[in-house]
Amino acid sequence: MDNMNITSAQYSLGLDSTNTSIRAIIDGKELSVPLDLSNRHYAEIMRQVEAGTLVVAEAD
Amino acid sequence: MSKARGLADLGNAYDDGALSNRNLIINGAMQVAQRGTSFTGLTNGGSDYTLDRWRWSEGGSPSFVTDVTQDTSAPDGFASSYKIAVTTAASSLGANHSLRLMTRLEGQDLQQTAFGTSSAKNLTLSFWVKSNKTGTYIAWFYNGDADRHISKAYTVDVADTWEYKTLTIDGDTVSGFTNDNGVSIQLEFVLAAGSDFTSGTLATTWQAQVTANRYVGNVNLADSTSNYWQITGVQLEVGDTATPFEHRSYGDELARCQRYYFMLANGDEKTMPTGSYYSSTLVTMPVQFPVTMRSAPSLDSPTGTDYYGIYRDGAFDSFNSFTSTGRPSVNGITVDSNDTGASGTAGHSGPLKTDNASAYLAFDAEL
């Protein structure tokens, strides 16, 4: 139901060097988004990825 | 409202199953404002939460601009209201333009409505509203679990005067609400809408969602820079009768809001939990939430030069941002920074703090 403007998205590594979150700028806000579909930001990121309109960059 | 009428209404509410916790709306009195009390220059088709649980939203990319404030003008018995003021006008609207104020409710909090069964109960919405612009406005109810909707019109009859409105909607025997923590009802107060939303027939009964039937007849609040619209005392309850607003203490209301958004630290020199250096370049800080959040939250925290820091081993290390989160749950999360400046000795620990007026650290589990 939301149409979020996601201007960047990149995986972040946790202490065990696995992807634990996505650092994203959504509607102008800097967010660290958990990999959990009940989180509205992550759900929208995945929706846009599946729609082919967003690519989440690999972690540095 | 007379005392006899009030007692009778409460009796009806009891028959419908609730004398307390009647109000399904959180922050209906517009008391709680963790994100701030003033939001200016809102435009460009944006959408964001403002006062707690209340989401200002534009559709399309209209040229009008609005400000949102927590205002002290309110009817007797209330201290605050939600005000939207037009600062740049649009005398005509594009087809997909809209301006709305909305709140969203979890399905697990709506099971008492018995929607989707032959016993579906009616709901009653009541609120106080004030605007300089008289005319017809729409309150829109959307069942996101079933893509169904119903719209109710109300009128602002007298300019610049607080008016009490009540709207009763029928229970929906066709579709219910999923018993989970997802959004089930989206309630919108509509302030402007283009023809995409108004060219049909207003959906005055529950029906499959048709965009053209949502907001038929709504005024265009955005047509003048002198226009404003305010609301408070919003209550949604089961039953046919609007009972007196269920006032809750600020602490109770704040705790309810913190299920969806928790501001841990906001502004300069605010304390955050104790953290430690996991390695020489990584500070990690566990955070426990004061109430169980709706879902694992997003960290909402801006970047800026030396916005944050950690005291450790007789020194203070400043850094610009928190760079990741880990082990998220509804009860807590770990916040990490490997930003430049977070440079020390593994094992050193100490309290963290904000170090700039624009710094903040918040957690967002909104619907």
Side-chain angles (χ1 to χ4, degrees):
Chain A
M1 290 188 288
D2 289 326
N3 187 19
M4 298 180 191
N5 181 24
I6 303 175
T7 49
S8 72
Q10 181 179 26
Y11 284 105
S12 298
L13 299 178
L15 302 182
D16 57 359
S17 297
T18 61
N19 290 336
T20 58
S21 58
I22 295 174
R23 191 165 165 80
I25 298 177
I26 301 177
D27 293 333
K29 283 188 173 179
E30 298 176 60
L31 302 174
S32 179
V33 179
L35 311 183
D36 182 334
L37 279 173
S38 63
N39 178 288
R40 66 188 174 108
H41 298 119
Y42 185 67
E44 177 64 11
I45 288 171
M46 289 298 101
R47 189 191 70 77
Q48 294 193 18
V49 167
E50 290 175 13
T53 57
L54 178 69
V55 174
V56 181
E58 293 300 317
D60 289 331
Chain B
M1 183 183 293
S2 72
K3 188 172 290 184
R5 175 59 189 274
L7 288 169
D9 288 348
L10 285 170
N12 289 335
Y14 179 77
D15 290 340
D16 289 321
L19 269 180
S20 61
N21 293 308
R22 301 187 310 279
N23 193 358
L24 297 169
I25 302 294
I26 298 172
N27 202 24
M30 311 299 174
Q31 300 166 275
V32 182
Q34 293 184 85
R35 297 171 181 83
T37 59
S38 178
F39 307 83
T40 59
L42 304 178
T43 187
N44 294 326
S47 184
D48 206 353
Y49 282 90
T50 48
L51 305 190
D52 278 62
R53 303 297 294 123
W54 291 100
R55 184 178 178 89
W56 165 93
S57 185
E58 282 187 355
S61 298
S63 59
F64 59 77
V65 181
T66 59
D67 288 350
V68 166
T69 52
Q70 184 188 47
D71 199 76
T72 55
S73 173
D76 290 347
F78 295 90
S80 301
S81 64
Y82 189 112
K83 182 176 184 180
I84 296 180
V86 178
T87 58
T88 300
S91 57
S92 63
L93 298 171
N96 67 342
H97 292 175
S98 65
L99 175 62
R100 300 108 69 204
L101 173 64
M102 67 178 73
T103 190
R104 292 168 170 170
L105 309 179
E106 292 179 54
Q108 61 192 357
D109 293 332
L110 299 169
Q111 300 305 306
Q112 61 183 301
T113 65
F115 271 38
T117 76
S118 59
S119 303
K121 297 177 180 177
N122 294 348
L123 300 176
T124 296
L125 177 70
S126 56
F127 55 94
W128 290 88
V129 65
K130 183 174 85 168
S131 175
N132 67 304
K133 189 171 183 69
T134 59
T136 299
Y137 293 77
I138 302 298
W140 186 65
F141 298 80
Y142 178 65
N143 178 349
D145 292 323
D147 194 25
R148 288 170 63 80
H149 69 159
I150 186 171
S151 303
K152 286 290 182 181
Y154 68 93
T155 58
V156 171
D157 298 307
V158 183
D160 305 316
T161 303
W162 283 107
E163 298 178 59
Y164 182 65
K165 306 294 179 183
T166 67
L167 304 170
T168 296
I169 64 168
D170 293 336
D172 188 0
T173 59
V174 174
S175 296
F177 303 117
T178 305
N179 185 26
D180 65 9
N181 63 347
V183 57
S184 284
I185 281 185
Q186 177 167 306
L187 166 63
E188 296 187 357
F189 292 95
V190 183
L191 304 175
S195 59
D196 283 356
F197 307 100
T198 62
S199 58
T201 302
L202 191 67
T204 56
T205 60
W206 283 104
Q207 57 190 252
Q209 195 270 133
V210 175
T211 301
N213 297 346
R214 287 187 188 179
Y215 315 143
V216 180
N218 207 97
V219 301
N220 176 14
L221 185 79
D223 65 2
S224 170
T225 54
S226 62
N227 287 352
Y228 70 91
W229 177 90
Q230 292 179 247
I231 191 168
T232 194
V234 185
Q235 179 154 288
L236 180 66
E237 57 196 306
V238 175
D240 297 316
T241 307
T243 63
F245 184 80
E246 183 183 29
H247 290 279
R248 295 188 281 250
S249 71
Y250 180 85
D252 286 349
E253 206 71 51
L254 175 62
R256 290 173 188 247
C257 293
Q258 286 175 329
R259 176 170 173 78
Y260 304 90
Y261 191 86
F262 167 47
M263 180 68 79
L264 171 65
N266 187 10
D268 195 18
E269 293 289 335
K270 303 304 181 195
T271 294
M272 296 187 288
T274 294
S276 61
Y277 276 92
Y278 177 77
S279 68
S280 62
T281 57
L282 179 65
V283 171
T284 185
M285 176 182 72
V287 175
Q288 298 296 319
F289 307 134
V291 302
T292 300
M293 299 197 78
R294 183 194 66 83
S295 70
S298 299
L299 169 68
D300 174 9
S301 183
T303 295
T305 302
D306 297 338
Y307 268 23
Y308 313 94
I310 178 172
Y311 289 102
R312 57 100 193 170
D313 193 33
F316 180 72
D317 298 337
S318 298
F319 54 91
N320 301 339
S321 68
F322 291 98
T323 51
S324 65
T325 52
R327 290 156 298 287
S329 78
V330 295
N331 294 309
I333 199 167
T334 302
V335 179
D336 302 329
S337 177
N338 63 357
D339 201 4
T340 303
S343 178
T345 302
H348 282 179
S349 64
L352 280 82
K353 70 166 186 175
T354 56
D355 204 22
N356 188 284
S358 297
Y360 65 86
L361 195 78
F363 299 90
D364 184 333
E366 285 285 2
L367 285 162

